[in-house]
Amino acid sequence: MLGPPGAGKGTQAKKIATRLGIPQLSTGDMLREAVASRSTSGLRAKHVMDRGELVPDDVVVSVVTDRIDHSDTAKGFVLDGFPRTVPQAEALDQELATRGIKLDAVLELEVDEDALLDRIRGRAEEAANNGERTRSDDNPEVFKTRLDVYRAQSAPVKSIDVVTEELAAALAKSSPHQVRSNS
Ligand code: AMP
């Protein structure tokens, strides 16, 4: 499940995972747990997360691959917020290949940027109203950084080939005789 911060990846990934009866693997949740447990990797991640930047690829890749190796993923899993960089996507391809796992689908949420900022404000207010601790990175300043990071490092994860296939599919729908399939 890919998409900009505040798009609702976590909410939707949870719902989809529940429907499919498989776990949702959120790297954001895993990292927040690591921070809360004050583990060495958690303490390293905290500063980066508070600034709205990305935790180093090797840290995230090992966190997520360790999680994939738990037995509850045998029937599948929904990755939420991972991969977020091209090297992470490449590492994921390799790790899945060595385990003989095939990626079934890539879902990308697209949300208007003004709506994203409203959501982030809403999320912080809702957490405060429910007496929950607000996320330290859910504030307008850090959100700007998170959005910039998404544009620069995460948006390119969608490979050129995938985009080409989508464009061809969209064209084929509107003018079926003009697009030749590449197979
Ligand atoms: P999220 O809950 O998905 O919005 O993630 C919260 C924060 O955790 C992000 O702003 C990053 O600092 C960190 N994070 C989560 N997933 C990743 C990832 N795949 N790569 C690097 N950093 C991540």
Side-chain angles (χ1 to χ4, degrees):
M1 180 81 71
L2 307 176
K9 293 188 294 293
T11 308
Q12 295 303 332
K14 251 181 228 141
K15 285 178 183 283
I16 299 282
T18 304
R19 280 194 186 202
L20 298 173
I22 55 178
Q24 165 223 15
L25 311 191
S26 154
T27 43
D29 286 350
M30 292 179 220
L31 292 167
R32 279 185 288 277
E33 276 162 27
V35 170
S37 74
R38 301 183 155 270
S39 66
T40 319
S41 60
L43 292 176
R44 270 180 61 204
K46 184 179 182 347
H47 301 288
V48 180
M49 292 170 76
D50 283 348
R51 285 199 301 267
E53 291 164 9
L54 294 183
V55 173
D57 289 333
D58 58 333
V59 175
V60 185
V61 168
S62 79
V63 163
V64 85
T65 48
D66 285 352
R67 182 64 187 83
I68 287 174
D69 289 336
H70 288 200
S71 56
D72 64 344
T73 62
K75 288 190 184 148
F77 48 86
V78 178
L79 290 172
D80 162 14
F82 179 90
R84 252 176 162 105
T85 64
V86 171
Q88 286 179 21
E90 288 167 354
L92 176 65
D93 278 346
Q94 263 184 15
E95 296 292 344
L96 292 183
T98 56
R99 290 165 177 75
I101 301 173
K102 213 179 117 289
L103 205 58
D104 293 313
V106 178
L107 306 174
E108 186 187 35
L109 295 177
E110 280 182 7
V111 182
D112 176 77
E113 285 193 11
D114 291 338
L116 289 177
L117 192 54
D118 287 347
R119 289 247 188 118
I120 290 288
R121 288 205 183 99
R123 186 151 83 183
E125 273 170 27
E126 198 184 305
N129 291 341
N130 293 340
E132 293 164 11
R133 267 164 49 98
T134 51
R135 271 178 58 170
S136 48
D137 58 352
D138 268 355
N139 62 69
E141 290 90 81
V142 177
F143 178 75
K144 258 189 65 77
T145 308
R146 289 165 62 201
L147 200 53
D148 288 344
V149 164
Y150 177 77
R151 286 198 207 98
Q153 297 183 65
S154 305
V157 166
K158 260 190 131 182
S159 76
I160 291 172
D161 289 346
V162 171
V163 176
T164 308
E165 287 306 315
E166 285 176 356
L167 293 175
L171 274 175
K173 264 193 206 154
S174 58
S175 52
H177 304 298
Q178 290 171 22
V179 180
R180 257 179 276 164
S181 112
N182 63 0
S183 57

